[in-house]
Amino acid sequence: MDQKTAVITGGNSGIGFATAREFARLGWRVIVTGRDESRLRAAAAAIDGVAWRKGDFASFRDVRALAQALNAEPRIDVLVNNIGISLSRQRKTEDGNDVMLQVNHLSPFLLTGLLLDRLKASAPARIVNVASRAHVWASDPGFEDFQFARAYSVRGAYARTKLYNILFTRELARRIAGTGVTTNALHPGVIRTQIGHDGDLTGLASIVWPLLQRWRGEPVEAGARVTMHVATAPELEGVSGKYFSTDLREATPSALAQDERVAARLWTMSEELVRDAEPALQ
């Protein structure tokens, strides 16, 4: 009962896997989530003491089932919203949303809300949202084309969903102030992950991104280092609503990412799309 527990979404590979390994090294109970059972089993086999829970973030039904399973845990001390994808071709989820919008923002929004009571009961607890410096590419919040119906590009969609990660962090911090739960966002750096290597990217992006990762990318451990700092650093106890970068210091996100009115509107729009979770998110 006294063992701290970390939940890491998308923890079967990349930064999430490296983060799981670091938590396990510290003696934490670690639960990784993902959509591919074989990859989850492999991740758990590779790290002693790691458990796994299956959940496809392209399905609100799966996310609710995942939340139900996680809420059965005695405690959750850290939730790392690590999962993220980048798709060149637009796709729709079974819930009718753009896949990148749902996987990168709406489903983490939903899962976090559904786990808030468990996090509060485990306080002091932390919510860590893995965003990206790519959010600066988003020049507007895109609320008039929330589902990218008028225009879609991998760069634009990724940038906007990463902007949403930071805006969500800001508004969530305001709403949970005083509960003993804090939330912060981070930029992990340019990391050599599997994004762009498994058919998620097509055309020019499928060539440029892997080359950028090879030339400038750092190993996944570098990204995990930032996540672990935000999740466990004693000096960040009580710090909430901030954005951290690769030097492990608080950074200043774009002006748009700091707009409280935009953050509040994003919350309302997101809440409407996951309305079944409204009681948990209020």
Side-chain angles (χ1 to χ4, degrees):
M1 289 291 292
D2 294 331
Q3 186 181 30
K4 290 187 176 182
T5 299
V7 174
I8 306 167
T9 68
N12 55 269
S13 64
I15 297 172
F17 178 81
T19 302
R21 188 166 51 204
E22 286 303 301
F23 271 114
R25 186 179 62 79
L26 294 177
W28 287 51
R29 170 168 165 75
V30 184
I31 304 170
V32 297
T33 81
R35 65 178 181 176
D36 189 310
E37 185 171 329
S38 63
R39 290 185 180 183
L40 287 167
R41 289 185 181 277
I47 306 174
D48 289 340
V50 169
W52 58 271
R53 299 286 184 272
K54 186 177 179 182
D56 186 351
F57 271 41
S59 165
F60 288 155
R61 178 179 53 188
D62 262 32
V63 172
R64 291 187 183 100
L66 173 62
Q68 184 176 17
L70 292 172
N71 274 319
E73 292 291 324
R75 61 186 301 123
I76 299 176
D77 299 87
V78 170
L79 168 64
V80 180
N81 287 313
N82 166 80
I83 193 168
I85 61 171
S86 185
L87 302 175
S88 287
R89 294 184 209 153
Q90 187 175 34
R91 304 176 195 167
K92 294 290 185 179
T93 69
E94 64 180 39
D95 302 291
N97 299 306
D98 173 80
V99 171
M100 281 181 67
L101 175 66
Q102 184 160 331
V103 172
N104 290 1
H105 168 61
L106 292 174
S107 284
F109 174 87
L110 173 58
L111 180 67
T112 301
L114 294 173
L115 297 181
L116 268 181
D117 284 346
R118 176 58 62 228
L119 286 157
K120 290 176 182 177
S122 307
R126 302 186 190 188
I127 300 165
V128 179
N129 297 318
V130 178
S132 172
R133 191 178 183 280
H135 79 275
V136 302
W137 300 338
S139 58
D140 68 79
F143 293 150
E144 303 308 313
D145 188 24
F146 200 42
Q147 298 282 355
F148 308 105
R150 298 177 193 167
Y152 181 88
S153 70
V154 60
R155 185 178 190 271
Y158 187 76
R160 203 196 298 170
T161 56
K162 294 292 104 179
L163 169 68
Y164 293 165
N165 293 159
I166 301 173
L167 289 167
F168 168 51
T169 301
R170 189 177 187 87
E171 178 65 10
L172 178 61
R174 185 186 70 80
R175 289 174 176 255
I176 62 176
T179 65
V181 182
T182 59
T183 181
N184 292 290
L186 65 93
H187 167 55
V190 178
I191 306 297
R192 294 194 294 272
T193 67
Q194 288 303 304
I195 289 181
H197 297 268
D198 57 4
D200 286 345
L201 299 179
T202 60
L204 184 60
S206 66
I207 300 173
V208 173
W209 179 241
L211 288 175
L212 180 63
Q213 287 181 314
R214 184 180 303 171
W215 292 337
R216 297 187 55 192
E218 296 186 80
V220 291
E221 289 77 13
R225 177 171 169 264
V226 187
T227 301
M228 291 300 297
H229 175 75
V230 177
T232 65
E235 63 267 31
L236 297 186
E237 186 71 39
V239 174
S240 194
K242 305 302 182 181
Y243 170 70
F244 293 83
S245 193
T246 53
D247 61 1
L248 308 185
R249 297 179 181 179
E250 182 184 338
T252 302
S254 69
L256 186 57
Q258 300 176 64
D259 193 314
E260 294 182 0
R261 290 176 299 177
V262 173
R265 186 177 177 193
L266 173 65
W267 185 284
T268 299
M269 294 178 70
S270 303
E271 195 172 52
E272 289 173 356
L273 287 173
V274 296
R275 61 174 58 90
D276 288 348
E278 281 185 2
L281 291 164
Q282 290 176 346

